Amino acid sequence: MSVTAAQGFSAAGIAAGIKDSGDPDLALVVNNGPRLAAAGVFTSNRVKAAPVVWSEQVLKGGRVSAVVLNSGGANACTGPLGFQDTHATAEKTAEVLGGDHSAGEVAVASTGLIGIRLPMDKLLPGVGAAAAKLSAHGGEKAAIAIKTTDSVHKTAVVERASAAGSWTVGGMAKGAGMLAPGLATMLVVLTTDADVARPELDRALRAATRTTFDRIDSDGCMSTNDTVLLLASGASGAAPAYEEFAEAVRAVCDDLARQLIGDAEGASKDIRIEVVNAASEDDAVEVGRSIARNNLLKCALHGEDPNWGRVLSAIGTTSAAFEPDRLNVAINGVWVCKGGSVGEDRELVDMRYREVRITADLAAGPESAVIWTNDLTADYVHENSAYSS
Amino acid sequence: MSVTAAQGFSAAGIAAGIKDSGDPDLALVVNNGPRLAAAGVFTSNRVKAAPVVWSEQVLKGGRVSAVVLNSGGANACTGPLGFQDTHATAEKTAEVLGGDHSAGEVAVASTGLIGIRLPMDKLLPGVGAAAAKLSAHGGEKAAIAIKTTDSVHKTAVVERASAAGSWTVGGMAKGAGMLAPGLATMLVVLTTDADVARPELDRALRAATRTTFDRIDSDGCMSTNDTVLLLASGASGAAPAYEEFAEAVRAVCDDLARQLIGDAEGASKDIRIEVVNAASEDDAVEVGRSIARNNLLKCALHGEDPNWGRVLSAIGTTSAAFEPDRLNVAINGVWVCKGGSVGEDRELVDMRYREVRITADLAAGPESAVIWTNDLTADYVHENSAYSS
């Protein structure tokens, strides 16, 4: 269902020949209106790919009529010529879609190897071929065409019936990472047929990404290309209350974020880190991220070793408010560290399952946050060393 | 030669039974004077092991008559009872050494698993056994007794003859990491027979560690136990000029730091990252560290893939002064990235050797810094997941 679950959208996914493998590599999503409201959130990496620079500019206008996405090349670190390629892609899209479409309302997203120009001789004809296949049932194919190292394509949909009528938020995602940072590039396109104005759309998207995509941290590496877009067609005629709409956007983002962690390169564990009793939410996030990025802990969890000492080491590198001798840590519900020292018997911790739950109690206040990460495995090393990606 | 290369020191290394393997696990270094001047630098982790808390206090007095070190247990996150264990170890050392020795001048260092109490029934008798073996030729055995996952023991010596007479700086190290952060705990004891007062000793040690141990970053993880001590006996009678002495200390630290990187757990590449043309030294260090901690790059280098895009991604996450389109990156002397985009042919990069040299040119000023790291390998994952460490 993906990006075409909501009314007013059509999509397509095709193989344009950008990937040597012949796999699908070009997706097109079109908002048929009546509204063209849009919001976007992008990587905070200062080295931004050409399509990110382009799409940030497009989003400033608040209107997006189409999104064209390619896998098989990130178009990052490609200089002025790379930016011209992105511009030409948007121009070509507007041209083949015709009607009121203009390049300034076409967002572009790319994913793949950095530092390689895109094969425009394949990409531009591919845009025309994708336009010819646009369909109100094309969401699934679009989701497949944006895959890189993803083992499965990722989609999510929520439908809501409220006093305002029925409306839908759906979307697709690729990658295994996060907004800042991300393992691989994360590209997400969300669509809704709710009638929501640009300011509320923007507010709902930023609120949702802040606690979902921005809190998955598979390997601490921030991409040059991360992009999350939310397009509203207004085609349902329903105009839900802001809180109701924001909750639905958050639910779809949360679903997709979990799928990204669950499909991270080479991972054998999905690790949920909840930091509780922090003095501030910022403290909780800083501590959660520090734990999530500790390679020694990630190796230990891969080996099913509930090594709470490495959790404490990671907490100790932060500037969060805490007293070392008041820290408590639970792994899968067993409080293996109490008061900064040995707690319950670590032999009680059952590490057999894919999901590992770490609770870090800072004993310093009322705030909390959840960060998701993965373990560090030989497969991760293999996937990221055996070939360029 | 190690810690007994300089006159006025004796040392011993024995198997006290702390390690189940029966390998050597207890080292003792004694300063026989006439001076007892000492300086120390410790982990900046806020979760500090008991021996770090103890030794920081001892060093405030500026005098150290002996250092007792154990492998086989870090005595970290062991609460008030763990601190009592460290205190008892210092008391026992002063007692068996007799004479003018007092516990308040005995530094203690430990390394091994976090969150486990030390077997004091083995450690305390071991202190007596080590004292009985003290010798002016015991430096090598002491260096062996502090090994944990080290494949080799690590020592370095420089001898200097100056107008002031002949004098020596020597030392031993264990671990594969850095002061802040470190892969495994890093313990270093340096000794000198130069006649140097405490303030100059402290200044020389801080200057040396800042550009050596503090710039090796094997896996971004900071230990609870990192300790670097410098003891001066004055036994040579030579009082070198400060600059001359500081250079010798830096040379020994640099030598030991390179040995630590060369023996990092599971590594197949030693990676030298030089950041040049930075606006400030802090910028250069921040960028170097960000590159050193990028798991994706570390995997790529393991696979002998000169993936400069991952270098740019890492630079982009920093707050250093630079313009993305002015960045240049060389790998093993080939400028694969120029002006933020594709440079010389990456096929020209010879990646066959253990040492990999990355140069990141920020084109933003006159400052530079060198950071050393290792690649990320399946062996690293194995060593850190197959058993608790």
Side-chain angles (χ1 to χ4, degrees), chain A residues 21 77 127-128 183 206 209 285-286 341 345 377:
Chain A
S21 64
C77 305
V127 172
L183 168 68
R206 287 182 193 283
T209 55
V285 171
E286 184 192 357
S341 183
D345 187 354
T377 71

Side-chain angles (χ1 to χ4, degrees), chain A residues 165-236:
Chain A
S166 293
W167 49 278
T168 296
V169 179
M172 64 181 186
K174 71 77 47 178
M178 65 178 305
L179 223 50
L183 168 68
T185 291
M186 183 186 68
L187 300 184
V188 178
V189 180
L190 307 173
T191 57
T192 182
D193 49 21
D195 185 9
V196 182
R198 151 82 178 178
E200 285 68 44
L201 214 55
D202 190 71
R203 190 173 149 212
L205 182 63
R206 287 182 193 283
T209 55
R210 195 178 73 85
T211 59
T212 56
F213 298 121
D214 208 30
R215 294 199 182 159
I216 57 175
D217 191 336
S218 183
D219 72 350
C221 298
M222 192 195 300
S223 162
T224 51
N225 289 56
D226 294 326
T227 300
V228 183
L229 301 174
L230 170 57
L231 315 185
S233 69
S236 73

Side-chain angles (χ1 to χ4, degrees), chain A residues 45-46 77-78 115 183 295-296 299-300 303 305 310 312-313 316 318 320 322 324 340-342 376 380-381 384-385 388-389, chain B residues 45-46 77-78 114-115 183 295-296 299-300 303 305 310 312-313 316 318 320 322 324 340-342 376 380-381 384-385 388-389:
Chain A
N45 199 309
R46 292 167 61 198
C77 305
T78 44
L183 168 68
N295 278 354
L296 289 173
C299 286
D305 167 16
R310 293 178 181 175
L312 257 66
S313 294
T318 70
F322 69 84
S341 183
V342 188
L376 182 54
Y380 173 88
V381 173
N384 289 295
S385 63
S388 277
S389 65
Chain B
N45 199 309
R46 291 166 61 199
C77 304
T78 44
I114 295 177
L183 169 68
N295 278 354
L296 289 173
C299 286
D305 168 16
R310 292 176 181 176
L312 256 67
S313 294
T318 70
F322 70 84
S341 184
V342 187
L376 182 54
Y380 172 87
V381 173
N384 288 294
S385 64
S388 277
S389 63

Side-chain angles (χ1 to χ4, degrees), chain A residues 35 48 136 192 196 250-251 271 281 296 328 334 338 353:
Chain A
R35 265 192 192 274
K48 293 180 204 302
T192 182
V196 182
R250 207 204 59 78
I271 304 163
E281 188 180 352
L296 289 173
N328 306 302
V334 180
K338 290 183 180 175
Y353 303 99

Side-chain angles (χ1 to χ4, degrees), chain B:
Chain B
M1 294 293 282
S2 173
V3 288
T4 47
Q7 298 175 61
F9 293 91
S10 51
I14 64 148
I18 304 166
K19 287 179 179 167
D20 289 338
S21 64
D23 288 337
D25 50 20
L26 191 78
L28 186 58
V29 181
V30 176
N31 185 351
N32 301 307
R35 266 193 191 273
L36 297 181
V41 181
F42 301 90
T43 182
S44 55
N45 199 309
R46 291 166 61 199
V47 175
K48 293 180 205 302
V52 168
V53 176
W54 171 267
S55 297
E56 281 186 326
Q57 202 56 40
V58 168
L59 265 294
K60 281 186 184 156
R63 285 166 59 91
V64 169
S65 66
V67 186
V68 56
L69 310 95
N70 75 275
S71 51
N75 198 8
C77 304
T78 44
L81 295 175
F83 189 78
Q84 284 178 27
D85 292 342
T86 291
H87 187 178
T89 304
E91 290 282 2
K92 179 73 178 179
T93 305
E95 178 198 321
V96 300
L97 293 176
D100 290 338
H101 289 278
S102 83
E105 294 177 358
V106 175
V108 182
S110 301
T111 177
L113 194 59
I114 295 177
I116 307 284
R117 292 278 301 280
L118 290 170
M120 296 305 287
D121 58 327
K122 291 171 179 162
L123 197 152
L124 292 182
V127 172
K133 299 247 178 171
L134 280 169
S135 145
H137 306 287
E140 210 75 16
K141 286 197 168 158
I144 291 167
I146 59 175
K147 284 172 57 185
T148 53
T149 57
D150 305 66
S151 68
V152 292
H153 64 284
K154 298 159 185 93
T155 66
V157 174
V158 302
E159 293 172 10
R160 294 282 187 268
S162 57
S166 293
W167 48 279
T168 296
V169 179
M172 63 180 185
K174 71 77 47 179
M178 65 179 306
L179 223 51
L183 169 68
T185 290
M186 183 186 69
L187 300 184
V188 178
V189 181
L190 307 173
T191 57
T192 182
D193 48 21
D195 185 8
V196 182
R198 151 83 176 176
E200 284 69 43
L201 215 55
D202 189 70
R203 189 174 150 212
L205 183 63
R206 287 181 194 282
T209 56
R210 195 178 72 85
T211 59
T212 56
F213 297 122
D214 208 30
R215 294 197 181 161
I216 57 175
D217 191 336
S218 183
D219 73 348
C221 297
M222 193 195 300
S223 162
T224 51
N225 289 55
D226 294 327
T227 299
V228 183
L229 300 174
L230 170 56
L231 315 185
S233 69
S236 72
Y242 171 76
E243 294 302 339
E244 200 178 7
F245 177 68
E247 185 281 323
V249 173
R250 208 203 59 79
V252 172
C253 289
D254 198 44
D255 187 338
L256 291 172
R258 271 297 277 119
Q259 292 182 50
L260 293 177
I261 277 288
D263 193 31
E265 291 175 348
S268 72
K269 300 283 186 193
D270 301 342
I271 304 163
R272 180 184 191 273
I273 301 159
E274 182 168 20
V275 181
V276 301
N277 299 323
S280 68
E281 187 179 354
D282 283 352
D283 273 10
V285 171
E286 183 192 358
V287 167
R289 240 185 243 300
S290 179
I291 296 170
R293 292 182 183 175
N294 190 285
N295 278 354
L296 289 173
L297 175 66
K298 289 155 77 93
C299 286
L301 296 177
H302 175 54
E304 307 198 335
D305 168 16
N307 196 320
W308 60 268
R310 292 176 181 176
V311 177
L312 256 67
S313 294
I315 297 173
T317 65
T318 70
S319 62
F322 70 84
E323 292 300 323
D325 60 2
R326 295 192 64 199
L327 295 172
N328 307 303
V329 175
I331 301 180
N332 285 347
V334 180
W335 289 94
V336 285
C337 170
K338 290 183 180 176
S341 184
V342 187
E344 293 171 30
D345 187 353
R346 42 172 282 152
E347 299 299 324
L348 299 174
V349 184
D350 185 348
M351 297 287 290
R352 286 172 300 171
Y353 302 99
R354 184 173 174 103
E355 187 168 316
V356 178
R357 287 167 294 115
I358 296 175
T359 311
D361 172 7
L362 302 189
E367 301 298 328
S368 65
V370 172
I371 301 278
W372 282 90
T373 189
N374 295 107
D375 57 342
L376 182 54
T377 70
D379 285 348
Y380 172 87
V381 173
H382 178 74
E383 281 208 38
N384 288 294
S385 64
Y387 49 85
S388 277
S389 63

